[in-house]
Amino acid sequence: MSAALSDAVGSRRKKDWPKHLFIWGFLAIELLPLYMMAQVSFKNNAEFIRNPWFPSNPLHWHWENWAFAAKLILPYVANTVFVAVTGTFAMLAFAVFGAYFFGRYKMPGSGLLWSAFMVLMLLPGIANIVPLFSLLKEMSLLNTLYAIIIVSVAGGQAFNLFVLRSFIEEIPKDLFEAAEMDGATHLQRIFHVVLPMSSSILGTLAILAFLGMWNDFLLPLIILRDKELFTLGVGLIYLDGEYVKQWGQIMASYFFAAIPLIILFLFTMRLFVRGLSQGAIKG
Amino acid sequence: MALSLSRQKILQEWKLYLFVLPSLLLVVTFAYYPAASAVYHSFFEWSGGYTKQLIGWDNFARALHDTTLIDSFKTVFVLIVFNVFKMIPSILLAVLIHRLKSDRWQYIYRVLLVIPMIVPALVTLFIWKFFFDPNLGVLNHVLDFTGIKTLLVSLDHFFHWGIFFDNVPIGWLAQPELILPSLFIWGFPWIGAVGVLIYLAGLQSIGQEVYEAAELDGIGPIGKFFYIELPLILSQVRLSLTLLIIATFQGYGLQLLLLGDSGGPGGRGMTPGLWMYNRAFIAGEFGYACAIGMILFVFILVLTLVNNRFVRVEK
C-alpha cells in the first residue's frame, strides 16, 4: 500500500521535472544581476575584462573596492534609512487613523471625503510635479529630506486608506463594542483592537511603502541639491555619471545600497511572501 | 429630521473627524493644490518664478504642433505594447509554479522569486545599463557566444539595415535605431515578483478535483490554461494591465536614467513624461510643462474611464 503510494507520488514528481527546469531557467536569469553585482565587486577592471563571468580567486579579492564604496555610499544609506523609516511610519500612522474613521463609522460627509481620496488614485502624479516643485520652494522645503518624506506620505495615503479600510470593516463589531463598554477612547480602540487585528496587512503595507521610498529617485532628484543630503537614488545617479570606469567599485557600492534591504527581507520574508500570497492586496 | 440627526451626530462625535484630518490636510496640500495649480499655470508663460504672463490657450496650441511631443506619444504607445507583452512571462511562471505537485517546492520558488527584490530598483536599472555596454556588457557577450550576432549580421546584409556589422560591438543604447529594441529587451525575462505572487494567490482557489475533471475530459495543458487558470486570475491580470498602461504612459524614470533627459540618440526614447520633465527642469518652461501635464492627465483619465466602463473587474 505505502509502496504503491510512494510509487504514485514518484511518478507524479517525475512528470514535474520539465517544469522545474523552466522555472530554474527563469530564476537563473532573474538572479543574474545579483550574481554579477556580487562577483564583479571583488575585481578590478583588468580582471573583469579578462574574466567577466566567473568569480575570481578569493585570495585576490579587491576588498578596497568595498572600502571605497563604504566611504562613498554609507552617508547616502543613512539619509535613505531616515527617509524610508520615518516616511513608512508616518504614512501608515495617518492611514490607520483615517481608515478607522472610514471603516468604523458612517459620519455625515464621509462618503464625499472617501471619494476625495479615491479620485487621487486616478490622478496621474506626473501632472503635479512641476507645481509641487514650486510649492516646496515657497515653503522653503526644497533641498531638505523632510520634503521627500512629506510628499511620499501624502502620496501614499489614498492606496493605504483603500486597503486598510476594507480590513478594518472586516474586524468583528463585537470587539469594538466591548472596548466601548469598557470605556476605551478612540485612540485606545485603535491601539488595542485595530492594530493587533490588522498586523499582517500592516506588515505587508509597511514593506511596500519602505521599498517604494527606498527605490524612489525622481522625487529626490528634483528636490535635493546638497551632496550631504543625497539619498541613494540621487547618490547612485551621480556615481553612474562620475566613476564610470571602475566597475568593481561601482558594484560594491550597489551592494551597499542593497544591504539594508537584505536585512529587512531576512526578517520579513515569510511575512511578505505570505501576505502577498494570501492576496492581502486585493484586486 | 435626517438633517437634525446628522447634526446631532456631528456634535456628539466631532472628535472622529480629527482622525481623518491629518491625511486630508496632507492630500489637500500636496496633491489637490498642485493639481489645481497645474491647471491654472498651463495658461501662463511661467518660468517658475514670480513673474508670469497669461497667454490663454497658446501652450496647448503649441503642443498640437510640437513634433517632439507627437513623436513621444507614438513612442509611448509602442512601449505600452512592449510592456503588455512583457506581462506574459509572469503569468506563465505563476501557472508553472502552481502546477507543481510539491507544496514545498512551490514555497521555495516563491521565496527565490522575492530574492531579486533585495536589489534596489535603481541598481537593477544601472546593472542593465551595464549589460547593454557595447564592449563590456553581458548582452553582447551572450549574442556573440550563442551565434545570434552572426544571424543578426546576415539579416542586416539581407535587409540593408546598416545596424549590425561583423567585429563591431552592437551599440545598444548609442544607435537611434536600437533604442526601442533596447527598451524591449530591458528587464528580460520580465518577471515581476509581486505580480507572480499575486497571480499565485488567485490560482490557489483551484482545487485538485478541477484538474482531475479536466483530465477526464481530455483537456491538455494548454486547454487547462485557457479554461481553468486564466479565467481565475483574469481580474488580477486586468488590474495589473490597467496599472501597467497608466504607469507606462506617465513613466519617464527609466528613460531618464538609461538615455538622459533628451531621450537618447535621435530622441528615440522620448516619452511625453520625459518631455514634460525636460521642458520644466532643463528648459525652464514651467507653464508649457504644466500644459503637457494636463494633456497627459486627460489621456490617462480617458484610459481609466474606458477601462472602468468596458473592462469591469468581476468580484
PDB file of all heavy atoms in Angstrom, chain A residues 203 207 261-275, chain B residues 114:
ATOM      1  N   GLY A 203       2.063  44.908   8.114  1.00  0.00           N
ATOM      2  CA  GLY A 203       3.421  44.500   7.788  1.00  0.00           C
ATOM      3  C   GLY A 203       3.680  44.547   6.296  1.00  0.00           C
ATOM      4  O   GLY A 203       4.675  45.112   5.829  1.00  0.00           O
ATOM      5  N   ILE A 207       6.232  47.074   4.264  1.00  0.00           N
ATOM      6  CA  ILE A 207       7.334  46.677   3.380  1.00  0.00           C
ATOM      7  C   ILE A 207       7.194  47.352   2.017  1.00  0.00           C
ATOM      8  O   ILE A 207       8.166  47.876   1.465  1.00  0.00           O
ATOM      9  CB  ILE A 207       7.365  45.138   3.225  1.00  0.00           C
ATOM     10  CG1 ILE A 207       7.686  44.496   4.576  1.00  0.00           C
ATOM     11  CG2 ILE A 207       8.413  44.733   2.211  1.00  0.00           C
ATOM     12  CD1 ILE A 207       7.480  43.010   4.596  1.00  0.00           C
ATOM     13  N   LEU A 261      18.136  46.408   2.586  1.00  0.00           N
ATOM     14  CA  LEU A 261      17.016  45.618   2.077  1.00  0.00           C
ATOM     15  C   LEU A 261      17.226  44.143   2.377  1.00  0.00           C
ATOM     16  O   LEU A 261      16.279  43.421   2.679  1.00  0.00           O
ATOM     17  CB  LEU A 261      16.851  45.817   0.575  1.00  0.00           C
ATOM     18  CG  LEU A 261      16.441  47.203   0.103  1.00  0.00           C
ATOM     19  CD1 LEU A 261      16.133  47.176  -1.377  1.00  0.00           C
ATOM     20  CD2 LEU A 261      15.234  47.689   0.868  1.00  0.00           C
ATOM     21  N   ILE A 262      18.493  43.684   2.301  1.00  0.00           N
ATOM     22  CA  ILE A 262      18.776  42.285   2.633  1.00  0.00           C
ATOM     23  C   ILE A 262      18.379  42.017   4.074  1.00  0.00           C
ATOM     24  O   ILE A 262      17.704  41.029   4.382  1.00  0.00           O
ATOM     25  CB  ILE A 262      20.270  41.962   2.402  1.00  0.00           C
ATOM     26  CG1 ILE A 262      20.607  42.113   0.913  1.00  0.00           C
ATOM     27  CG2 ILE A 262      20.598  40.549   2.872  1.00  0.00           C
ATOM     28  CD1 ILE A 262      22.067  41.934   0.584  1.00  0.00           C
ATOM     29  N   ILE A 263      18.773  42.935   4.971  1.00  0.00           N
ATOM     30  CA  ILE A 263      18.421  42.758   6.383  1.00  0.00           C
ATOM     31  C   ILE A 263      16.904  42.751   6.553  1.00  0.00           C
ATOM     32  O   ILE A 263      16.328  41.882   7.204  1.00  0.00           O
ATOM     33  CB  ILE A 263      19.059  43.884   7.238  1.00  0.00           C
ATOM     34  CG1 ILE A 263      20.582  43.776   7.156  1.00  0.00           C
ATOM     35  CG2 ILE A 263      18.586  43.811   8.680  1.00  0.00           C
ATOM     36  CD1 ILE A 263      21.309  44.962   7.737  1.00  0.00           C
ATOM     37  N   LEU A 264      16.247  43.717   5.909  1.00  0.00           N
ATOM     38  CA  LEU A 264      14.787  43.803   6.002  1.00  0.00           C
ATOM     39  C   LEU A 264      14.135  42.499   5.550  1.00  0.00           C
ATOM     40  O   LEU A 264      13.250  41.960   6.217  1.00  0.00           O
ATOM     41  CB  LEU A 264      14.286  44.970   5.137  1.00  0.00           C
ATOM     42  CG  LEU A 264      12.784  45.181   5.079  1.00  0.00           C
ATOM     43  CD1 LEU A 264      12.301  45.810   6.372  1.00  0.00           C
ATOM     44  CD2 LEU A 264      12.384  46.049   3.907  1.00  0.00           C
ATOM     45  N   PHE A 265      14.624  41.958   4.421  1.00  0.00           N
ATOM     46  CA  PHE A 265      13.995  40.759   3.884  1.00  0.00           C
ATOM     47  C   PHE A 265      14.293  39.532   4.719  1.00  0.00           C
ATOM     48  O   PHE A 265      13.479  38.625   4.807  1.00  0.00           O
ATOM     49  CB  PHE A 265      14.409  40.540   2.432  1.00  0.00           C
ATOM     50  CG  PHE A 265      13.506  41.243   1.480  1.00  0.00           C
ATOM     51  CD1 PHE A 265      13.778  42.529   1.078  1.00  0.00           C
ATOM     52  CD2 PHE A 265      12.364  40.627   1.028  1.00  0.00           C
ATOM     53  CE1 PHE A 265      12.922  43.183   0.213  1.00  0.00           C
ATOM     54  CE2 PHE A 265      11.509  41.281   0.168  1.00  0.00           C
ATOM     55  CZ  PHE A 265      11.790  42.562  -0.245  1.00  0.00           C
ATOM     56  N   LEU A 266      15.477  39.476   5.343  1.00  0.00           N
ATOM     57  CA  LEU A 266      15.794  38.352   6.202  1.00  0.00           C
ATOM     58  C   LEU A 266      14.743  38.212   7.295  1.00  0.00           C
ATOM     59  O   LEU A 266      14.340  37.120   7.654  1.00  0.00           O
ATOM     60  CB  LEU A 266      17.170  38.550   6.850  1.00  0.00           C
ATOM     61  CG  LEU A 266      18.371  38.136   6.026  1.00  0.00           C
ATOM     62  CD1 LEU A 266      19.637  38.378   6.825  1.00  0.00           C
ATOM     63  CD2 LEU A 266      18.265  36.668   5.650  1.00  0.00           C
ATOM     64  N   PHE A 267      14.292  39.365   7.832  1.00  0.00           N
ATOM     65  CA  PHE A 267      13.357  39.306   8.946  1.00  0.00           C
ATOM     66  C   PHE A 267      11.903  39.228   8.496  1.00  0.00           C
ATOM     67  O   PHE A 267      11.051  38.802   9.257  1.00  0.00           O
ATOM     68  CB  PHE A 267      13.554  40.518   9.862  1.00  0.00           C
ATOM     69  CG  PHE A 267      14.815  40.440  10.643  1.00  0.00           C
ATOM     70  CD1 PHE A 267      15.902  41.231  10.336  1.00  0.00           C
ATOM     71  CD2 PHE A 267      14.925  39.526  11.683  1.00  0.00           C
ATOM     72  CE1 PHE A 267      17.084  41.124  11.047  1.00  0.00           C
ATOM     73  CE2 PHE A 267      16.101  39.414  12.392  1.00  0.00           C
ATOM     74  CZ  PHE A 267      17.177  40.207  12.075  1.00  0.00           C
ATOM     75  N   THR A 268      11.619  39.673   7.284  1.00  0.00           N
ATOM     76  CA  THR A 268      10.214  39.797   6.925  1.00  0.00           C
ATOM     77  C   THR A 268       9.819  38.941   5.732  1.00  0.00           C
ATOM     78  O   THR A 268       8.680  38.982   5.313  1.00  0.00           O
ATOM     79  CB  THR A 268       9.883  41.255   6.584  1.00  0.00           C
ATOM     80  OG1 THR A 268      10.738  41.679   5.519  1.00  0.00           O
ATOM     81  CG2 THR A 268      10.061  42.143   7.781  1.00  0.00           C
ATOM     82  N   MET A 269      10.762  38.164   5.204  1.00  0.00           N
ATOM     83  CA  MET A 269      10.488  37.386   4.004  1.00  0.00           C
ATOM     84  C   MET A 269       9.212  36.556   4.140  1.00  0.00           C
ATOM     85  O   MET A 269       8.327  36.604   3.291  1.00  0.00           O
ATOM     86  CB  MET A 269      11.665  36.457   3.735  1.00  0.00           C
ATOM     87  CG  MET A 269      11.500  35.618   2.515  1.00  0.00           C
ATOM     88  SD  MET A 269      12.088  36.480   1.089  1.00  0.00           S
ATOM     89  CE  MET A 269      13.803  36.056   1.111  1.00  0.00           C
ATOM     90  N   ARG A 270       9.102  35.819   5.254  1.00  0.00           N
ATOM     91  CA  ARG A 270       7.949  34.948   5.449  1.00  0.00           C
ATOM     92  C   ARG A 270       6.656  35.745   5.422  1.00  0.00           C
ATOM     93  O   ARG A 270       5.696  35.400   4.735  1.00  0.00           O
ATOM     94  CB  ARG A 270       8.057  34.250   6.812  1.00  0.00           C
ATOM     95  CG  ARG A 270       8.729  32.938   6.703  1.00  0.00           C
ATOM     96  CD  ARG A 270       8.983  32.325   8.071  1.00  0.00           C
ATOM     97  NE  ARG A 270       9.570  31.017   7.873  1.00  0.00           N
ATOM     98  CZ  ARG A 270       8.850  29.938   7.648  1.00  0.00           C
ATOM     99  NH1 ARG A 270       7.544  29.984   7.651  1.00  0.00           N
ATOM    100  NH2 ARG A 270       9.439  28.785   7.429  1.00  0.00           N
ATOM    101  N   LEU A 271       6.675  36.836   6.187  1.00  0.00           N
ATOM    102  CA  LEU A 271       5.502  37.698   6.279  1.00  0.00           C
ATOM    103  C   LEU A 271       5.120  38.223   4.905  1.00  0.00           C
ATOM    104  O   LEU A 271       3.960  38.207   4.497  1.00  0.00           O
ATOM    105  CB  LEU A 271       5.834  38.870   7.206  1.00  0.00           C
ATOM    106  CG  LEU A 271       4.724  39.862   7.456  1.00  0.00           C
ATOM    107  CD1 LEU A 271       3.743  39.271   8.431  1.00  0.00           C
ATOM    108  CD2 LEU A 271       5.292  41.158   7.983  1.00  0.00           C
ATOM    109  N   PHE A 272       6.149  38.648   4.155  1.00  0.00           N
ATOM    110  CA  PHE A 272       5.905  39.279   2.869  1.00  0.00           C
ATOM    111  C   PHE A 272       5.352  38.276   1.868  1.00  0.00           C
ATOM    112  O   PHE A 272       4.344  38.524   1.200  1.00  0.00           O
ATOM    113  CB  PHE A 272       7.220  39.866   2.362  1.00  0.00           C
ATOM    114  CG  PHE A 272       7.065  40.738   1.166  1.00  0.00           C
ATOM    115  CD1 PHE A 272       6.266  41.861   1.220  1.00  0.00           C
ATOM    116  CD2 PHE A 272       7.731  40.445  -0.008  1.00  0.00           C
ATOM    117  CE1 PHE A 272       6.128  42.672   0.124  1.00  0.00           C
ATOM    118  CE2 PHE A 272       7.589  41.255  -1.111  1.00  0.00           C
ATOM    119  CZ  PHE A 272       6.789  42.371  -1.042  1.00  0.00           C
ATOM    120  N   VAL A 273       6.008  37.112   1.790  1.00  0.00           N
ATOM    121  CA  VAL A 273       5.549  36.084   0.849  1.00  0.00           C
ATOM    122  C   VAL A 273       4.137  35.654   1.216  1.00  0.00           C
ATOM    123  O   VAL A 273       3.267  35.518   0.362  1.00  0.00           O
ATOM    124  CB  VAL A 273       6.515  34.885   0.857  1.00  0.00           C
ATOM    125  CG1 VAL A 273       5.945  33.737   0.048  1.00  0.00           C
ATOM    126  CG2 VAL A 273       7.858  35.290   0.298  1.00  0.00           C
ATOM    127  N   ARG A 274       3.885  35.479   2.522  1.00  0.00           N
ATOM    128  CA  ARG A 274       2.566  35.033   2.946  1.00  0.00           C
ATOM    129  C   ARG A 274       1.521  36.115   2.669  1.00  0.00           C
ATOM    130  O   ARG A 274       0.464  35.843   2.122  1.00  0.00           O
ATOM    131  CB  ARG A 274       2.582  34.691   4.433  1.00  0.00           C
ATOM    132  CG  ARG A 274       1.507  33.715   4.820  1.00  0.00           C
ATOM    133  CD  ARG A 274       1.527  33.471   6.306  1.00  0.00           C
ATOM    134  NE  ARG A 274       1.464  34.717   7.036  1.00  0.00           N
ATOM    135  CZ  ARG A 274       1.941  34.873   8.266  1.00  0.00           C
ATOM    136  NH1 ARG A 274       2.530  33.888   8.877  1.00  0.00           N
ATOM    137  NH2 ARG A 274       1.829  36.027   8.878  1.00  0.00           N
ATOM    138  N   GLY A 275       1.866  37.346   3.027  1.00  0.00           N
ATOM    139  CA  GLY A 275       0.927  38.450   2.841  1.00  0.00           C
ATOM    140  C   GLY A 275       0.479  38.555   1.399  1.00  0.00           C
ATOM    141  O   GLY A 275      -0.715  38.598   1.104  1.00  0.00           O
TER     142      GLY A 275
ATOM    143  N   VAL B 114      11.340  36.266  -4.576  1.00  0.00           N
ATOM    144  CA  VAL B 114      11.390  37.531  -3.854  1.00  0.00           C
ATOM    145  C   VAL B 114      12.826  38.028  -3.717  1.00  0.00           C
ATOM    146  O   VAL B 114      13.056  39.232  -3.622  1.00  0.00           O
ATOM    147  CB  VAL B 114      10.697  37.379  -2.480  1.00  0.00           C
ATOM    148  CG1 VAL B 114      10.825  38.623  -1.658  1.00  0.00           C
ATOM    149  CG2 VAL B 114       9.228  37.060  -2.685  1.00  0.00           C
TER     150      VAL B 114
END
